[in-house]
Amino acid sequence: MKTLLTICALSFASAAMAADKCPISGKPADPSITSTGKDGKTVAFCCEKCKAKFDAKNK
């Protein structure tokens, strides 16, 4: 059970760290530049160019 909890904790930690990166470029995300994906989740980007690319793919 302890191993399962450790795996879950690591999964959540890596998901939180990934949220700090732009999904297009991989650079650090600017929390003021966001868009909403098809799944309804808010996504942050490093710049307006990356946001535009994301929006074009997710219309």
Side-chain angles (χ1 to χ4, degrees):
M1 184 68 175
K2 187 176 180 181
T3 303
L4 180 60
L5 291 174
T6 302
I7 292 170
C8 289
L10 291 173
S11 296
F12 287 123
S14 58
M17 290 186 338
D20 294 337
K21 292 190 176 193
C22 173
I24 304 297
S25 69
K27 295 178 183 178
D30 180 343
S32 68
I33 305 172
T34 62
S35 186
T36 304
K38 290 179 184 176
D39 58 0
K41 292 183 182 179
T42 301
V43 182
F45 303 92
C46 64
C47 64
E48 290 292 334
K49 280 185 173 182
C50 287
K51 179 184 181 299
K53 286 181 185 179
F54 179 86
D55 288 342
K57 290 181 183 178
N58 290 293
K59 281 189 176 182

Coordinates of all heavy atoms in Angstrom, one line a residue:
M1 N 0.8 -1.2 0.0 CA 0.0 0.0 0.0 C 0.9 1.3 0.0 O 0.6 2.2 -0.7 CB -0.9 0.0 1.2 CG -1.9 1.1 1.3 SD -3.1 0.9 -0.1 CE -4.2 2.2 0.3
K2 N 2.0 1.2 0.8 CA 2.9 2.3 0.8 C 3.5 2.6 -0.5 O 3.6 3.8 -0.9 CB 4.0 2.0 1.9 CG 4.9 3.2 2.1 CD 5.9 2.9 3.2 CE 6.8 4.0 3.5 NZ 7.8 3.7 4.5
T3 N 3.8 1.6 -1.3 CA 4.4 1.8 -2.6 C 3.3 2.4 -3.6 O 3.7 3.3 -4.3 CB 4.8 0.4 -3.2 OG1 5.7 -0.2 -2.3 CG2 5.4 0.6 -4.6
L4 N 2.1 2.0 -3.5 CA 1.0 2.6 -4.3 C 0.8 4.1 -4.0 O 0.7 4.9 -4.9 CB -0.3 1.8 -4.0 CG -1.5 2.3 -4.8 CD1 -1.2 2.2 -6.3 CD2 -2.7 1.5 -4.5
L5 N 0.9 4.4 -2.7 CA 0.7 5.8 -2.3 C 1.9 6.7 -2.8 O 1.7 7.8 -3.3 CB 0.6 6.0 -0.8 CG -0.7 5.4 -0.2 CD1 -0.6 5.5 1.3 CD2 -1.9 6.2 -0.7
T6 N 3.1 6.1 -2.8 CA 4.3 6.8 -3.3 C 4.2 7.0 -4.8 O 4.5 8.1 -5.3 CB 5.5 6.0 -3.0 OG1 5.6 5.8 -1.6 CG2 6.8 6.7 -3.5
I7 N 3.7 6.0 -5.5 CA 3.5 6.2 -7.0 C 2.5 7.2 -7.3 O 2.7 8.1 -8.2 CB 3.2 4.8 -7.6 CG1 4.3 3.8 -7.5 CG2 2.7 5.0 -9.0 CD1 4.0 2.4 -7.9
C8 N 1.4 7.2 -6.6 CA 0.4 8.3 -6.8 C 0.9 9.7 -6.5 O 0.7 10.6 -7.2 CB -0.8 8.0 -5.9 SG -1.8 6.6 -6.4
A9 N 1.6 9.8 -5.4 CA 2.2 11.1 -5.0 C 3.2 11.6 -6.1 O 3.1 12.8 -6.5 CB 2.9 11.0 -3.7
L10 N 4.0 10.7 -6.6 CA 4.9 11.1 -7.7 C 4.2 11.5 -9.0 O 4.6 12.4 -9.7 CB 5.9 10.0 -8.0 CG 6.9 9.7 -6.8 CD1 7.8 8.5 -7.1 CD2 7.8 10.9 -6.6
S11 N 3.1 10.8 -9.3 CA 2.3 11.1 -10.5 C 1.7 12.5 -10.4 O 1.8 13.2 -11.3 CB 1.2 10.1 -10.7 OG 1.8 8.8 -10.9
F12 N 1.2 12.8 -9.2 CA 0.6 14.1 -9.0 C 1.7 15.2 -9.1 O 1.5 16.3 -9.6 CB -0.2 14.2 -7.7 CG -1.5 13.4 -7.8 CD1 -1.7 12.5 -6.8 CD2 -2.4 13.7 -8.7 CE1 -2.9 11.7 -6.9 CE2 -3.6 13.0 -8.8 CZ -3.9 12.0 -7.8
A13 N 2.8 14.9 -8.5 CA 3.9 15.9 -8.5 C 4.4 16.2 -9.9 O 4.6 17.3 -10.3 CB 5.0 15.4 -7.6
S14 N 4.6 15.2 -10.7 CA 5.0 15.4 -12.1 C 4.0 16.1 -12.9 O 4.3 16.9 -13.8 CB 5.5 14.1 -12.7 OG 4.5 13.1 -12.7
A15 N 2.7 15.8 -12.7 CA 1.6 16.5 -13.4 C 1.6 18.0 -13.1 O 1.4 18.8 -13.9 CB 0.3 15.9 -13.1
A16 N 1.9 18.3 -11.8 CA 1.9 19.7 -11.4 C 3.1 20.4 -12.0 O 3.0 21.6 -12.4 CB 2.0 19.8 -9.9
M17 N 4.2 19.7 -12.1 CA 5.4 20.4 -12.7 C 5.2 20.6 -14.2 O 5.6 21.6 -14.8 CB 6.6 19.5 -12.5 CG 7.1 19.5 -11.1 SD 8.6 18.7 -10.7 CE 8.9 17.5 -11.9
A18 N 4.5 19.6 -14.9 CA 4.2 19.8 -16.3 C 3.3 20.9 -16.6 O 3.4 21.5 -17.7 CB 3.7 18.5 -16.8
A19 N 2.5 21.3 -15.7 CA 1.5 22.4 -15.8 C 2.3 23.7 -15.9 O 1.7 24.7 -16.4 CB 0.5 22.4 -14.7
D20 N 3.5 23.8 -15.4 CA 4.3 25.0 -15.5 C 5.0 25.2 -16.8 O 5.7 26.2 -16.9 CB 5.3 25.0 -14.3 CG 4.6 25.0 -13.0 OD1 3.5 25.5 -12.9 OD2 5.3 24.6 -12.0
K21 N 4.8 24.3 -17.7 CA 5.5 24.4 -19.0 C 4.5 24.5 -20.1 O 3.4 24.0 -20.1 CB 6.3 23.1 -19.3 CG 7.5 23.0 -18.3 CD 8.4 21.9 -18.8 CE 9.6 21.9 -17.9 NZ 10.7 21.0 -18.4
C22 N 4.9 25.3 -21.1 CA 4.1 25.5 -22.3 C 4.0 24.1 -23.1 O 5.0 23.5 -23.3 CB 4.8 26.5 -23.2 SG 4.0 26.7 -24.8
P23 N 2.8 23.7 -23.4 CA 2.6 22.4 -24.1 C 3.1 22.4 -25.5 O 3.3 21.4 -26.1 CB 1.1 22.2 -24.1 CG 0.5 23.5 -24.0 CD 1.5 24.4 -23.2
I24 N 3.3 23.6 -26.1 CA 3.8 23.7 -27.5 C 5.4 23.7 -27.5 O 6.0 22.9 -28.2 CB 3.3 25.0 -28.2 CG1 1.7 25.0 -28.1 CG2 3.8 25.1 -29.6 CD1 1.1 23.9 -28.9
S25 N 6.0 24.6 -26.7 CA 7.4 24.8 -26.8 C 8.2 24.1 -25.7 O 9.4 23.8 -25.8 CB 7.8 26.3 -26.7 OG 7.5 26.8 -25.5
G26 N 7.5 23.8 -24.6 CA 8.2 23.2 -23.4 C 8.9 24.2 -22.5 O 9.5 23.9 -21.5
K27 N 8.8 25.5 -22.9 CA 9.4 26.6 -22.1 C 8.5 26.9 -20.9 O 7.3 26.5 -20.9 CB 9.5 27.9 -22.9 CG 10.5 27.7 -24.1 CD 10.6 29.0 -24.9 CE 11.5 28.9 -26.1 NZ 11.5 30.1 -26.9
P28 N 9.0 27.6 -19.9 CA 8.2 28.0 -18.8 C 6.9 28.8 -19.2 O 7.0 29.6 -20.1 CB 9.1 28.9 -17.9 CG 10.4 28.5 -18.3 CD 10.4 28.1 -19.7
A29 N 5.8 28.4 -18.7 CA 4.5 29.0 -19.1 C 4.3 30.3 -18.3 O 4.7 30.5 -17.1 CB 3.3 28.1 -18.8
D30 N 3.6 31.3 -19.0 CA 3.2 32.5 -18.4 C 1.7 32.4 -17.9 O 0.9 32.2 -18.8 CB 3.3 33.6 -19.4 CG 3.0 35.0 -18.9 OD1 2.3 35.1 -17.8 OD2 3.3 36.0 -19.5
P31 N 1.4 32.4 -16.6 CA 0.1 32.2 -16.2 C -1.0 33.2 -16.7 O -2.2 33.0 -16.6 CB 0.2 32.2 -14.7 CG 1.5 32.8 -14.3 CD 2.3 32.6 -15.5
S32 N -0.5 34.3 -17.3 CA -1.4 35.3 -17.8 C -1.8 35.0 -19.2 O -2.7 35.7 -19.8 CB -0.8 36.7 -17.7 OG 0.3 36.8 -18.5
I33 N -1.2 34.0 -19.9 CA -1.5 33.7 -21.3 C -2.1 32.3 -21.2 O -1.4 31.3 -21.1 CB -0.2 33.7 -22.2 CG1 0.5 35.0 -22.1 CG2 -0.6 33.3 -23.6 CD1 1.8 35.1 -22.8
T34 N -3.4 32.2 -21.3 CA -4.1 30.9 -21.2 C -5.2 30.7 -22.3 O -5.6 31.7 -22.9 CB -4.8 30.8 -19.8 OG1 -5.8 31.8 -19.7 CG2 -3.8 30.9 -18.7
S35 N -5.6 29.5 -22.4 CA -6.7 29.1 -23.3 C -7.3 27.9 -22.7 O -6.8 27.2 -21.8 CB -6.1 28.8 -24.7 OG -7.2 28.5 -25.6
T36 N -8.5 27.6 -23.2 CA -9.2 26.4 -22.7 C -9.2 25.3 -23.8 O -9.6 25.6 -24.9 CB -10.7 26.8 -22.3 OG1 -10.7 27.8 -21.4 CG2 -11.4 25.6 -21.7
G37 N -8.8 24.1 -23.4 CA -8.7 23.0 -24.3 C -10.1 22.4 -24.5 O -11.1 22.8 -23.9
K38 N -10.2 21.4 -25.4 CA -11.4 20.7 -25.7 C -12.0 20.0 -24.5 O -13.2 19.9 -24.4 CB -11.2 19.7 -26.8 CG -11.0 20.3 -28.2 CD -10.7 19.2 -29.2 CE -10.4 19.8 -30.6 NZ -10.1 18.7 -31.5
D39 N -11.1 19.6 -23.6 CA -11.6 18.9 -22.4 C -12.0 19.8 -21.3 O -12.4 19.4 -20.2 CB -10.4 18.0 -21.9 CG -9.2 18.8 -21.6 OD1 -9.1 20.0 -21.7 OD2 -8.2 18.1 -21.1
G40 N -12.0 21.2 -21.6 CA -12.4 22.2 -20.6 C -11.3 22.6 -19.6 O -11.6 23.4 -18.8
K41 N -10.1 22.1 -19.7 CA -9.0 22.4 -18.8 C -8.4 23.7 -19.3 O -8.2 23.9 -20.5 CB -8.0 21.3 -18.7 CG -8.5 20.1 -18.0 CD -7.4 19.1 -17.9 CE -7.9 17.8 -17.2 NZ -6.9 16.8 -17.1
T42 N -7.9 24.6 -18.4 CA -7.2 25.8 -18.7 C -5.7 25.4 -18.9 O -5.1 24.7 -18.1 CB -7.4 26.8 -17.6 OG1 -8.7 27.1 -17.5 CG2 -6.6 28.1 -18.0
V43 N -5.1 25.9 -20.0 CA -3.8 25.6 -20.3 C -3.0 27.0 -20.4 O -3.5 27.9 -21.0 CB -3.7 24.9 -21.7 CG1 -2.2 24.5 -22.0 CG2 -4.5 23.6 -21.7
A44 N -1.8 27.0 -19.9 CA -1.0 28.2 -19.9 C 0.1 28.0 -21.0 O 0.6 26.9 -21.2 CB -0.4 28.5 -18.6
F45 N 0.5 29.2 -21.6 CA 1.6 29.1 -22.6 C 2.7 30.1 -22.3 O 2.5 31.0 -21.5 CB 0.9 29.5 -24.0 CG -0.2 28.6 -24.3 CD1 -1.5 28.9 -24.0 CD2 0.0 27.4 -25.0 CE1 -2.6 28.1 -24.2 CE2 -1.0 26.5 -25.3 CZ -2.3 26.9 -24.9
C46 N 3.8 30.0 -23.0 CA 4.9 30.9 -22.8 C 4.7 32.2 -23.6 O 5.3 33.2 -23.2 CB 6.2 30.2 -23.3 SG 6.3 29.8 -25.0
C47 N 4.0 32.2 -24.7 CA 3.8 33.4 -25.5 C 2.5 33.3 -26.3 O 1.9 32.2 -26.4 CB 5.0 33.5 -26.5 SG 5.1 32.2 -27.7
E48 N 2.1 34.4 -26.9 CA 0.9 34.4 -27.7 C 1.0 33.5 -29.0 O 0.0 33.0 -29.4 CB 0.6 35.9 -28.1 CG 0.1 36.7 -27.0 CD -1.2 36.3 -26.4 OE1 -2.0 35.8 -27.1 OE2 -1.4 36.6 -25.2
K49 N 2.2 33.4 -29.6 CA 2.4 32.5 -30.7 C 2.0 31.1 -30.4 O 1.3 30.4 -31.2 CB 3.8 32.5 -31.2 CG 4.2 33.7 -32.1 CD 5.6 33.5 -32.6 CE 5.9 34.6 -33.6 NZ 7.3 34.4 -34.1
C50 N 2.4 30.6 -29.3 CA 2.1 29.2 -28.9 C 0.6 29.1 -28.6 O 0.0 28.1 -28.9 CB 2.9 28.8 -27.7 SG 4.7 28.4 -28.1
K51 N 0.0 30.1 -28.0 CA -1.4 30.1 -27.7 C -2.2 30.0 -29.0 O -3.2 29.2 -29.1 CB -1.8 31.3 -26.9 CG -3.3 31.4 -26.6 CD -3.6 32.7 -25.9 CE -5.1 32.8 -25.5 NZ -6.0 32.8 -26.6
A52 N -1.8 30.8 -30.0 CA -2.5 30.8 -31.3 C -2.4 29.4 -32.0 O -3.3 28.9 -32.6 CB -1.9 31.9 -32.2
K53 N -1.2 28.8 -31.9 CA -1.0 27.4 -32.5 C -2.0 26.4 -31.8 O -2.6 25.6 -32.4 CB 0.4 26.9 -32.3 CG 1.4 27.6 -33.2 CD 2.8 27.0 -33.0 CE 3.8 27.8 -33.9 NZ 5.2 27.3 -33.6
F54 N -2.0 26.5 -30.5 CA -2.9 25.6 -29.7 C -4.4 25.8 -30.1 O -5.1 24.9 -30.3 CB -2.7 25.8 -28.2 CG -3.6 25.0 -27.3 CD1 -3.2 23.7 -27.0 CD2 -4.8 25.5 -26.8 CE1 -4.0 22.9 -26.1 CE2 -5.6 24.7 -26.0 CZ -5.2 23.4 -25.6
D55 N -4.8 27.1 -30.1 CA -6.2 27.5 -30.4 C -6.5 27.0 -31.8 O -7.7 26.5 -32.1 CB -6.4 29.0 -30.3 CG -6.4 29.4 -28.9 OD1 -6.6 28.6 -28.0 OD2 -6.2 30.6 -28.6
A56 N -5.6 27.1 -32.8 CA -5.9 26.6 -34.2 C -6.1 25.1 -34.2 O -7.0 24.7 -35.0 CB -4.7 27.0 -35.1
K57 N -5.4 24.4 -33.4 CA -5.5 22.9 -33.4 C -6.8 22.5 -32.6 O -7.3 21.4 -32.8 CB -4.3 22.3 -32.7 CG -3.1 22.3 -33.6 CD -2.0 21.6 -32.8 CE -0.6 21.7 -33.6 NZ 0.4 21.1 -32.8
N58 N -7.2 23.3 -31.7 CA -8.3 22.9 -30.8 C -9.6 23.6 -31.0 O -10.4 23.8 -30.1 CB -7.8 23.1 -29.3 CG -6.8 22.1 -29.0 OD1 -7.0 20.9 -28.9 ND2 -5.6 22.6 -28.8
K59 N -9.9 24.0 -32.2 CA -11.2 24.7 -32.5 C -12.3 23.7 -32.6 O -12.2 22.6 -32.9 CB -11.1 25.5 -33.8 CG -10.4 26.8 -33.6 CD -10.5 27.6 -34.8 CE -9.9 28.9 -34.6 NZ -10.0 29.8 -35.7

